[in-house]
Amino acid sequence: MRVIALYFKVSILNELQYRVNFFVQVLQSFLSLVVALGGLVIVFDHTESLNGWTSAELLAVVGVYFIVGGLIGSLIQPSMQMLMEDIRQGTLDFAILKPVDTQLLVSVRQIQLWRLMDVGIGIVLLVIGLTQAGAEITVLELLAFVVMLIAGGIIVYSFWLILATIAFWFIRIDNILQVFQSMYEAGRWPVRIYPPWLQFMLTFLVPVAFAVTVPVEALTGRLTPLSFLGAIALTVLMFTVGRVFWTIGIRAYSGASA
Amino acid sequence: MIQKWAFLRPIYWMNFQVNVMTAAQYRVSTAFWILSLVAEPIVYMSVWAAVTREQGGSLDGLTVGQFSAYFITWMLVRHFSVAPVAEMEWRIRDGLMSGLLVRPVNPIHADIAENIASKLTALPFVILVMIGLAFAYPPTFNLQVWTVLAFIPALLMGASIRFLFQYTLGLAAFWVTRTNAIFGVYTVSEIFLSGRFVPLALLPAQVVLIASILPFRWTLSFPVEVVLGQLSMEQVVIGLGIQALWLLAMSQIFRLIWAFGVRQYTAVAG
């Protein structure tokens, strides 16, 4: 725990040095907001509802999309990219040598502070969307939402860890980042609009459904107890698989020094 | 002109071969790259299919099958017009450009060769994915011989315009060290104005006018419109003419900015 706190502190101090990055992020967040909202405006210019979702509810989806995207982009992705780069260049040696659990260490080494801005934008969109939809949220629903958000976070983390671990065998997988991002874009819309095979992919291969759609379903009274339990089960499963994968993968690592 | 081409041809050929081999070597990487390109049209397709169904099967006269035909053609055009030139920033910032500048030919030629190579090596996969989309959403094509023939120059010019446009934007790195803001604005404009997210036919007339004045419509939407038979023969000829003008303009703008940029360039010594 102390290690995590320490690494976070160092990363934050590091990020605070580069204030231009802040403005670059402001612009980037603004642009993705334009794309997301513009898309909604054009779609709802032609229809009243999309697969049973109203425009206000879809705004809430976009809100959660931003929250989760911000969390992934600031907390998970930077460390995982650093990990892949380290594997490729053979500099992972330095991390393995340290006396803490290597998986823990490589997972918290780097954060991108300014990406958290998206989380703020997402919360604003979510609140506006839910108010417009006139949703009355019970404490239970809110609780389910938070639990689903955390479960989604753990699933995405495990997914990223598995992907990064693949680098132990395939070395050059820098395109994976693009794959994830383009698949994650699919989360801007409720996964039910996609053809069945794509729904399956977005649920189990790239866990966008659990990261975005399921938490929103919890807030809009669409979540069934079954998918709640399913999400919990998948979280445990993914985390275990990620751990096992990592243990096997790190044995394949041969380093590049000496 | 002919002499110049005789000089350039072996350069193109060598770069082409090297890049085909590189792509064949990093197969996993190439596969992932293609995967990242296919997600986008499938998402858009699904959204518009859902909207169309919600509207009782027809949206402004467009059926799910026609949307499918639109996005299947979109994939092909998009594949040809993807230009991986964002690395210009990194080249200039890290001083790698120095090595390229001492070569006797403009580095754009090597980049064009690379671009052609990567497109041809990935083309079979793209066609596979197009067939996949056709299974998910059966398309209704209404092909005619002349539209298919007109599609070829429309596609090639559209792709060239976009390549030059992006390449020229990348040259901004000669003056500013971070160009992702510029590419961000470009991408957002393109999503709405080039027919990338929504067929231009579904947008208000003023927006379509802006898209037609700027290069955006001519890079993606126009070739798709041609092959779908949405344009009369006269409109197609005019469109091809506008594309040719943009291509000419873009190449001149590129030359100009390149000339100024290179003077601006000071390398970080290595």
Side-chain angles (χ1 to χ4, degrees), chain A residues 74-136:
Chain A
S74 58
L75 302 178
I76 300 176
Q77 217 160 278
S79 291
M80 290 299 143
Q81 273 180 276
M82 193 175 170
L83 171 61
M84 288 195 276
E85 195 54 27
D86 273 350
I87 294 174
R88 199 169 67 85
Q89 300 199 335
T91 37
L92 192 66
D93 302 18
F94 301 114
I96 295 177
L97 285 173
K98 294 206 171 83
V100 261
D101 183 80
T102 316
Q103 184 190 340
L104 178 76
L105 186 70
V106 297
S107 307
V108 297
R109 275 190 300 177
Q110 210 167 38
I111 61 169
Q112 272 183 16
L113 190 61
W114 305 130
R115 257 318 279 277
L116 288 174
M117 199 182 307
D118 282 356
V119 178
I121 295 175
I123 292 174
V124 173
L125 292 178
L126 180 63
V127 171
I128 296 175
L130 289 176
T131 337
Q132 270 189 358
E136 282 170 34

Side-chain angles (χ1 to χ4, degrees), chain A residues 21 24 27-28 31 34-35 38-39 42-43 46-52 170 172-176 178-179 182-183 185-186 188-189 193-195 197-198 201, chain B residues 22 26 28-30 32-33 35-37 39-40 42-44 46-48 50-51 54-55 59-60 136-137 178 180-181 184-185 188 191-192 197-198 202-203:
Chain A
N21 284 359
V24 172
L27 188 85
Q28 262 166 3
L31 291 176
V34 170
V35 171
I42 295 174
V43 165
H46 291 96
T47 184
E48 296 292 301
S49 72
L50 187 71
N51 220 21
F170 285 110
R172 186 176 141 171
I173 48 166
D174 39 356
N175 283 326
I176 271 188
Q178 284 165 308
V179 177
S182 60
M183 290 291 227
E185 293 263 307
R188 280 213 320 254
W189 311 92
I193 70 165
Y194 299 117
W197 55 271
L198 188 60
M201 275 179 75
Chain B
T22 316
Y26 294 105
V28 178
S29 195
T30 310
F32 278 132
W33 179 64
L35 251 175
S36 74
L37 292 183
E40 192 185 344
I42 294 174
V43 169
Y44 298 159
S46 306
V47 170
W48 290 111
V51 175
E54 200 90 27
Q55 294 298 306
L59 183 68
D60 287 6
Y137 294 100
R178 307 276 298 238
N180 34 12
V185 174
V188 173
I191 285 175
F192 294 116
F197 170 61
V198 51
L202 292 178
L203 291 175

Side-chain angles (χ1 to χ4, degrees), chain A residues 9 17 28 36 61 76 87 130 139 143-144 149 175 177 184 225 227 232 239-240 254:
Chain A
K9 216 174 112 190
Q17 290 175 29
Q28 262 166 3
V61 174
I76 300 176
I87 294 174
L130 289 176
V139 181
L143 201 68
L149 211 55
N175 283 326
L177 180 71
Y184 184 70
S227 47
I232 302 284
F239 191 76
T240 320
S254 54

Side-chain angles (χ1 to χ4, degrees), chain B residues 226-244:
Chain B
V226 169
V227 86
L228 293 190
Q230 292 172 345
L231 303 172
S232 67
M233 202 177 281
E234 195 190 347
Q235 283 171 314
V236 171
V237 173
I238 294 172
L240 288 175
I242 295 176
Q243 277 193 314

